[in-house]
Amino acid sequence: MAKLKELAAWVGAQLVGDENIEIARVAPIEEAGPGDLTFLANPRYAAKLNDCRAAAVIVAPGVESERHSLLICSNPYLAFARILARLCPPASVERRVMDGAWVDPSAQLGEEVAIHPGCHVGPNVRIGRGTILYPGVVLYEGAQIGEDCVLHAHVVVREACRIGNRVIIQPGAVIGSDGFGYAPDGRRYVKIPQVGTVEVGDDVEIGAATCIDRAALTVTRIGRGTKIDNLVQIAHNVEIGEDTIIVSQVGISGSTRIGDHCTFGGQAGVAGHIRIGDDVIIAARGGVASNVPPGQVMSGTPVMPHKDWLKASMTFPKLPEMRRDVQALKKRLAELENLIKEK
């Protein structure tokens, strides 16, 4: 719980109304009641404030309400995130190696590390200060985990992979699984040893059941600040830049290079050995088969500029009618040709 004036100072917002209101929680605008703080990220939905029972609302400049105290800031959604983090801090965790965890004697553990029952920490592993391993985490030989990381249940980090500081890995993710590499031998396939590694930069988040393959020879690299959703597949030797967003069920094939601050919508697919520049947006289910210059917004399969895709998508429902028209025109043309021949 915190007073509204404290929360305003926390996010640098202008406060209009009762600064001494006690805020107990942040709630959705439709469900908020007395003592709650809510937010309105888009001024177009300001009419929702008429029925809102919240004590206070985070709003953008220009939004007014006589019924509520207001926190006015340029980015209400960001202020919401920061206030939520303050009001709902993570649960406290015992900072020790707990009974039922197995830690190799050669492993190096920083101060205030928490290792829950069922964890396996292999030889020559290094874990930085303040990191938490939840039950069932497995760290193969030589894995390196930075400071203040959180590895949730059943995460696997394989041999020699390196995780930066303040990284969050959700349950069931696998870092450093073998890349999908095979050499044909007639009708059979021979496995190519995947002897490279994975490097994950600082402040990265990796979603549940996501797999990031180790490189065949060098490094698969995830840049600082990148956020990866659940059920994403990143193949061997991929390099992803900083502050990129990758939404659920995206697949990125091997040896592709992706720039900084890109966005990939759900189920987008990226072919291997291509280059995608900075600030590129690939819409959901976009199929990327060739290089994409910086700053593009692309949709469709294969991807095309989003404006062109919008025009094309408007045409798709009309294709049956257009087909009938073309068939009729062909028939009419044939009749006219026959008349010309007869004359």
Side-chain angles (χ1 to χ4, degrees):
M1 186 172 291
K3 288 187 176 182
L4 193 61
K5 64 181 179 181
E6 297 170 349
L7 299 179
W10 179 254
V11 297
Q14 176 188 353
L15 194 158
V16 176
D18 185 355
E19 64 179 19
N20 292 312
I21 293 174
E22 293 281 354
I23 299 298
R25 66 169 190 155
V26 179
I29 195 167
E30 299 86 357
E31 301 175 13
D36 292 343
L37 174 68
T38 190
F39 71 99
L40 185 73
N42 193 328
R44 289 185 297 178
Y45 302 125
K48 289 189 174 184
L49 294 178
N50 295 332
D51 300 319
C52 178
R53 299 171 56 243
V57 187
I58 308 168
V59 298
V63 176
E64 299 179 355
S65 174
E66 296 181 357
R67 301 179 56 190
H68 307 91
S69 294
L70 301 177
L71 297 184
I72 302 172
C73 51
S74 59
N75 191 337
Y77 199 50
L78 178 61
F80 151 75
R82 289 176 172 167
I83 289 173
L84 190 62
R86 173 164 175 167
L87 293 179
C88 304
S92 60
V93 175
E94 291 186 63
R95 300 295 177 154
R96 63 185 180 87
V97 178
M98 302 175 199
D99 294 342
W102 190 89
V103 178
D104 188 275
S106 64
Q108 301 177 36
L109 309 183
E111 297 178 356
E112 298 184 0
V113 164
I115 302 180
H116 283 74
C119 291
H120 177 100
V121 178
N124 301 311
V125 166
R126 289 193 291 175
I127 302 175
R129 183 184 186 279
T131 284
I132 301 171
L133 308 184
Y134 282 100
V137 169
V138 176
L139 306 180
Y140 281 41
E141 180 174 2
Q144 299 179 27
I145 315 296
E147 297 182 354
D148 297 314
C149 294
V150 178
L151 277 60
H152 286 282
H154 301 291
V155 166
V156 175
V157 180
R158 281 191 46 183
E159 61 274 14
C161 293
R162 298 183 288 278
I163 309 296
N165 301 316
R166 300 173 300 281
V167 172
I168 300 172
I169 308 180
Q170 299 294 341
V174 179
I175 313 301
S177 47
D178 282 358
F180 194 72
Y182 300 89
D185 181 12
R187 294 177 59 85
R188 299 185 177 185
Y189 294 90
V190 176
K191 183 178 179 63
I192 299 171
Q194 304 293 294
V195 298
T197 187
V198 175
E199 290 184 358
V200 176
D202 295 345
D203 302 302
V204 168
E205 182 160 352
I206 299 169
T210 282
C211 296
I212 303 176
D213 290 349
R214 66 194 311 107
L217 295 173
T218 54
V219 179
T220 301
R221 184 173 286 109
I222 311 298
R224 180 206 56 76
T226 284
K227 313 300 182 187
I228 303 171
D229 199 359
N230 303 333
L231 298 169
V232 170
Q233 162 63 24
I234 298 174
H236 56 187
N237 296 91
V238 168
E239 293 190 11
I240 298 174
E242 298 182 351
D243 297 308
T244 283
I245 293 287
I246 302 175
V247 181
S248 180
Q249 298 183 9
V250 167
I252 302 174
S253 300
S255 299
T256 285
R257 304 289 182 268
I258 296 171
D260 298 338
H261 202 255
C262 294
T263 300
F264 292 79
Q267 297 186 342
V270 183
H273 298 271
I274 63 175
R275 302 292 182 269
I276 298 175
D278 297 342
D279 300 303
V280 167
I281 297 175
I282 306 296
R285 294 191 174 183
V288 186
S290 58
N291 294 345
V292 179
Q296 303 297 304
V297 180
M298 311 289 280
S299 301
T301 301
V303 291
M304 63 185 76
H306 183 63
K307 291 182 179 179
D308 293 342
W309 179 84
L310 288 174
K311 296 175 183 177
S313 65
M314 294 176 65
T315 304
F316 295 155
K318 301 177 182 177
L319 288 178
E321 179 184 349
M322 294 170 64
R323 184 177 184 276
R324 288 193 297 268
D325 291 344
V326 169
Q327 294 297 328
L329 288 170
K330 288 173 65 177
K331 182 179 179 180
R332 181 60 178 159
L333 179 60
E335 292 172 350
L336 291 172
E337 288 176 340
N338 288 335
L339 287 173
I340 292 172
K341 287 178 182 179
E342 290 175 1
K343 292 182 178 181

